[in-house]
């Protein structure tokens, strides 16, 4: 009841102010339209802080939601990238293990078949598996020398170039 009387009084006062302003001052047509909104000025003054608080709260909430989803998306992309890297590292380890196993098996097969004398080329003296290394022959000559004269008679061979002549 009291609130209705207060609102009625405010409207009547604003209407009388509007009538006084419009008769005393010649306002342009654009300003005349704003005078029509004068009765709503108390409501705007009362509710504007509340509306402003809601606007700021909604803006803050929407930016938090944006950054939350953005960080989730980037986290998912990083998870995919890290998973891909782990898979590639695992694949590299598997392939290197297979290659190393192949190399070891090949060396065992060569050691127990070709180098141990099971080869058919054993009787061929010019075959590369039947030739002894120069270093091994030289070491045996040095170890076999029993006196100084035999040691002096050992030939010193020129080193074999690793790369071809320049």
């Amino acid at each position: 009841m009291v609130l209705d009387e207060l609102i009625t009084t405010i409207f009547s006062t604003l209407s009388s102010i509007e009538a006084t302003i419009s008769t005393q001052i010649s306002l342009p047509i654009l300003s005349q339209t704003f005078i029509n909104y004068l009765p709503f000025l108390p409501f705007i003054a009362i509710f504007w802080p509340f509306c402003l608080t809601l606007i700021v709260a909604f803006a803050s909430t929407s930016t938090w939601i944006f950054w939350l989803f953005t960080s989730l998306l980037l986290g998912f992309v990083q998870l995919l990238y890290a998973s891909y890297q782990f898979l590639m590292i695992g694949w590299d380890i598997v392939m290197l293990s297979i290659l190393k196993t192949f190399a070891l098996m090949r060396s065992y097969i060569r050691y127990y078949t070709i180098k141990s004398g099971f080869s058919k080329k054993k009787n061929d003296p010019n075959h590369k598996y039947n030739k002894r290394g120069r270093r091994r022959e030289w070491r045996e000559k040095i170890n076999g020398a029993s006196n100084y004269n035999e040691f002096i008679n050992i030939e010193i061979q020129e080193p074999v170039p690793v790369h071809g002549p320049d």
Side-chain angles (χ1 to χ4, degrees), residues 97-110:
S97 299
I98 290 171
L99 291 172
K100 185 63 178 176
T101 303
F102 173 75
L104 283 172
M105 294 300 289
R106 181 176 175 264
S107 69
Y108 285 145
I109 290 170
R110 286 184 68 226

Side-chain angles (χ1 to χ4, degrees), residues 122-136:
K122 182 179 178 184
N123 297 329
D124 185 8
N126 292 327
H127 196 269
K128 68 178 181 179
Y129 294 120
N130 293 327
K131 290 184 181 178
R132 301 191 72 179
R134 290 175 45 179
R135 178 179 257 175
R136 185 182 295 170

Side-chain angles (χ1 to χ4, degrees), residues 63-80:
T63 54
W64 274 103
I65 290 172
F66 169 76
W67 287 114
L68 177 70
F69 285 128
T70 304
S71 63
L72 286 175
L73 180 67
L74 290 176
F76 184 69
V77 169
Q78 286 179 340
L79 176 71
L80 288 177

Side-chain angles (χ1 to χ4, degrees), residues 24-158:
Q24 291 180 354
I25 302 171
S26 172
L27 297 174
I29 296 173
L30 186 61
S31 297
Q32 287 289 340
T33 57
F34 290 122
I35 292 175
N36 295 333
Y37 293 108
L38 280 178
F40 297 107
L41 188 62
F43 294 112
I44 292 173
I46 293 171
F47 291 110
W48 176 247
F50 179 71
C51 291
L52 187 63
T53 305
L54 286 179
I55 290 170
V56 170
F58 285 133
S60 176
T61 305
S62 28
T63 54
W64 274 103
I65 290 172
F66 169 76
W67 287 114
L68 177 70
F69 285 128
T70 304
S71 63
L72 286 175
L73 180 67
L74 290 176
F76 184 69
V77 169
Q78 286 179 340
L79 176 71
L80 288 177
Y81 181 73
S83 301
Y84 169 76
Q85 290 298 322
F86 279 120
L87 286 173
M88 289 299 110
I89 290 170
W91 177 251
D92 286 345
I93 290 172
V94 167
M95 291 308 293
L96 288 173
S97 299
I98 290 171
L99 291 172
K100 185 63 178 176
T101 303
F102 173 75
L104 283 172
M105 294 300 289
R106 181 176 175 264
S107 69
Y108 285 145
I109 290 170
R110 286 184 68 226
Y111 179 78
Y112 287 115
T113 58
I114 297 170
K115 291 192 174 188
S116 64
F118 292 131
S119 173
K120 295 179 182 178
K121 298 173 181 154
K122 182 179 178 184
N123 297 329
D124 185 8
N126 292 327
H127 196 269
K128 68 178 181 179
Y129 294 120
N130 293 327
K131 290 184 181 178
R132 301 191 72 179
R134 290 175 45 179
R135 178 179 257 175
R136 185 182 295 170
E137 287 179 3
W138 182 72
R139 176 67 60 198
E140 285 179 0
K141 286 179 186 177
I142 288 177
N143 291 339
S146 58
N147 58 29
Y148 182 71
N149 287 333
E150 289 178 5
F151 184 75
I152 292 177
N153 291 334
I154 296 175
E155 281 186 36
I156 297 176
Q157 298 177 352
E158 292 294 323

